[in-house]
Amino acid sequence: MALVKDNILLQLVRGTLGDQLTIYERNGQIIMAKKRGPSKKKPTKKQLEARYKMKIAAAYARSILEDPELKAYYKSLAGPGQNAYNMAVKDAFRSPEIQNIRFEEMDVVVTTKDEFRVVDVDVRVHDAAGTMLERGKAVLGRNGVDWYYKAAVLPAGGRVVAVAVDLPGNETLRELVIVGDGGK
């Protein structure tokens, strides 16, 4: 490894030269080093999980490039130096967030958040024994973050399970125990 000082040619050069040298900048210093080869260490479980997640995200991003509507959507969100593919990979990497579940009389209100878009919220109502009493799709409210589901019954001691799904199909599940009469 060598630190480069006051060389006008290397002030502008970054990258790999041939298969031998790599020039990069770290903390304001220009560094020339022998090109590194692939690691000989066995990847950790976390590294394997990250690689798999990236493989899935890249496959999703490639698929949206074939859909003009989705491609235009992601392109509209891209900043300088970014494109629809980059945005789709970013979206596929992160699952939506369910911030809150609350009751407004017999409505189950699920507040969601996603950097891009939550496309679906599924609500299930279970009794205290765990038997599913009803299931249905919530409807997006005017504010764009609250999803409303009109429940037929909200049994005390039961639970409400909400599943939020984003554009790439990532799911987030959250449960809430029904206390009291559930809003009746």
Side-chain angles (χ1 to χ4, degrees), residues 67-138:
D67 183 336
E69 255 181 58
L70 282 176
K71 184 177 179 181
Y73 169 71
Y74 282 115
K75 187 167 178 53
S76 72
L77 300 171
Q82 296 176 321
N83 56 34
Y85 179 87
N86 301 137
M87 295 293 97
V89 167
K90 185 177 183 181
D91 191 17
F93 245 86
R94 297 191 179 132
S95 295
E97 181 182 336
I98 297 177
Q99 295 180 312
N100 190 23
I101 301 173
R102 66 183 189 281
F103 303 108
E104 291 180 3
E105 298 188 20
M106 290 304 286
D107 280 343
V108 176
V109 183
V110 182
T111 304
T112 62
K113 178 182 174 186
D114 190 74
E115 188 173 346
F116 295 89
R117 187 186 326 167
V118 174
V119 294
D120 190 39
V121 174
D122 186 55
V123 176
R124 296 175 228 155
V125 179
H126 297 264
D127 64 11
T131 306
M132 188 184 331
L133 301 175
E134 62 181 286
R135 176 183 188 166
K137 302 286 184 200

Side-chain angles (χ1 to χ4, degrees), residues 135-157:
R135 176 183 188 166
K137 302 286 184 200
V139 177
L140 182 61
R142 285 184 170 170
N143 66 4
V145 293
D146 287 336
W147 293 75
Y148 294 86
Y149 175 75
K150 180 68 82 183
V153 61
L154 293 171

